[in-house]
């Protein structure tokens, strides 16, 4: 392939290896087979739905080890739990302000329209760090703290200068895309779920190609199945390149430039 591929969403869980370094090496070896050059990674080797401050630090320490082992290929996002606002601010400062992490990951501890997110979003915005929020609309009902794309739209409305990523495009993507459409500072990241035809085409049509990001969710999902959503989509070549790397490069550029890193 003659274009770059950056993956906005990978994990250290579901990957073989006894240490974060070994798991990161295994992820990169698999990414290499598909020409994926850079990976964003977040959350530790074991996942916690509602982590205590101590478990947050442990998860982020594991990601720091993975990033430091492969600094030219891996970007870390700091995992936070808004139920612990001060501990989360401390982690944001420790891992992003003091480096080397570049973004924030929020999962299912608390629905993201909650006011407890506001100080975290404000601080991430000051640091020019994008916020990747897990969003899903489950036919069986969401977890108590699990956000919908509508929740993210409500949060984004309160923070017009922040930069958000709607992970999984809400799972039920046909509704997720419509929920985030009015908010240009929310990008749709298409990882997870089965590689359904039409997700990428609809996202490009409704949001514009510059608002769509490739992510895999490896090791929970394979790189190949998720890449197929983009490589198999009936979209222009220029759109494909934006989705596979160009948009993530643009999103991280202010942050990396502020720290003297050439993206
Ligand atoms: Zn994930």
């Amino acid at each position: 392939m003659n274009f770059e591929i950056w993956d906005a969403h990978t994990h250290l869980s579901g990957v073989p290896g006894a240490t974060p370094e070994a798991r990161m090496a295994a992820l990169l070896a698999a990414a290499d087979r598909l020409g994926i050059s850079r990976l964003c990674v977040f959350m530790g080797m074991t996942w916690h739905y509602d982590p205590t401050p101590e478990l947050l630090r442990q998860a982020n320490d594991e990601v720091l080890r993975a990033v430091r082992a492969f600094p030219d290929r891996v970007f870390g996002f700091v995992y936070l739990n808004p139920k612990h606002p001060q501990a989360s601010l401390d982690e944001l400062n420790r891992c992003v302000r003091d480096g080397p992490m570049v973004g924030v990951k929020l999962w299912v501890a608390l629905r993201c329209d909650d006011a407890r997110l506001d100080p975290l979003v404000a601080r991430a915005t000051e640091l020019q760090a994008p916020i990747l929020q897990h969003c899903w609309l489950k036919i069986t009902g969401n977890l108590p703290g699990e956000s919908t794309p509508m929740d993210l739209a409500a949060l984004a409305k309160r923070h017009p200068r922040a930069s958000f990523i709607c992970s999984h495009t809400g799972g039920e993507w046909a509704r997720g895309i419509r929920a985030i459409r009015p908010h240009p500072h929310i990008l749709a990241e298409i990882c997870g779920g089965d590689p359904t035809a039409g997700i990428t085409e609809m996202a490009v049509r409704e949001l514009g190609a510059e608002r769509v990001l490739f992510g895999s969710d490896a090791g929970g999902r394979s790189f190949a199945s998720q890449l197929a959503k983009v490589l198999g989509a009936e979209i222009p070549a220029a759109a494909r390149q934006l989705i596979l790397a160009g948009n993530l490069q643009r999103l991280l550029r202010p942050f990396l430039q502020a720290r003297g890193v050439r993206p």
Side-chain angles (χ1 to χ4, degrees):
M1 275 177 279
N2 60 356
F3 45 83
E4 252 192 294
I5 307 176
W6 289 21
D7 187 331
H9 191 137
T10 68
H11 298 290
L12 296 175
S13 69
V15 183
T19 64
E21 292 84 355
R23 292 190 185 193
M24 203 66 234
L27 273 175
L28 286 167
D32 280 339
R33 292 202 289 273
L34 292 150
I36 302 171
S37 58
R38 301 241 194 169
L39 306 180
C40 298
V41 66
F42 28 85
M43 301 168 65
M45 302 208 296
T46 307
W47 287 5
H48 300 281
Y49 288 85
D50 188 7
T52 61
E54 190 186 2
L55 288 172
L56 276 181
R57 281 192 293 275
Q58 185 186 319
N60 292 325
D61 280 344
E62 289 170 1
V63 169
L64 285 169
R65 283 175 60 179
V67 172
R68 287 186 175 127
F70 303 95
D72 53 343
R73 296 197 61 189
V74 178
F75 295 117
F77 280 44
V78 63
Y79 182 33
L80 304 179
N81 180 351
K83 280 187 183 168
H84 304 293
Q86 189 54 50
S88 290
L89 275 176
D90 291 346
E91 278 300 274
L92 184 50
N93 285 327
R94 178 176 80 101
C95 297
V96 176
R97 181 196 64 198
D98 302 342
M101 294 202 198
V102 304
V104 172
K105 158 71 182 213
L106 296 167
W107 194 34
V108 296
L110 187 65
R111 287 178 72 161
C112 68
D113 60 346
D114 192 285
R116 280 171 279 181
L117 270 83
D118 289 334
L120 300 179
V121 174
R123 183 67 182 132
T125 308
E126 284 170 6
L127 294 170
Q128 297 182 294
I131 297 152
L132 184 146
Q133 171 69 59
H134 166 100
C135 294
W136 211 284
L137 288 160
K138 290 201 169 107
I139 199 161
T140 48
N142 280 20
L143 295 164
E146 188 169 28
S147 299
T148 67
M150 296 76 181
D151 295 333
L152 183 58
L155 177 69
K157 218 172 171 178
R158 302 204 297 269
H159 297 276
R161 289 176 46 249
S163 171
F164 295 100
I165 300 169
C166 178
S167 195
H168 315 296
T169 312
E172 193 191 333
W173 44 268
R175 286 172 69 203
I177 289 167
R178 289 197 288 264
I180 64 171
R181 186 170 50 189
H183 308 287
H185 57 312
I186 308 179
L187 274 65
E189 180 259 288
I190 58 174
C191 86
D194 295 326
T196 321
I199 176 172
T200 306
E201 287 91 336
M202 181 176 171
V204 167
R205 187 182 73 234
E206 298 299 323
L207 305 174
E210 58 290 331
R211 285 181 63 190
V212 186
L213 285 181
F214 162 67
S216 67
D217 221 353
R221 292 278 169 172
S222 69
F223 287 115
S225 67
Q226 302 303 308
L227 204 48
K229 290 174 180 171
V230 186
L231 297 182
E234 291 179 20
I235 53 172
R240 205 181 310 282
Q241 291 180 23
L242 283 173
I243 295 166
L244 291 177
N247 291 332
L248 187 54
Q249 291 168 344
R250 186 187 70 243
L251 200 65
L252 297 181
R253 193 175 296 131
F255 182 95
L256 296 176
Q257 279 177 344
R259 282 156 184 77
V261 180
R262 211 171 62 85

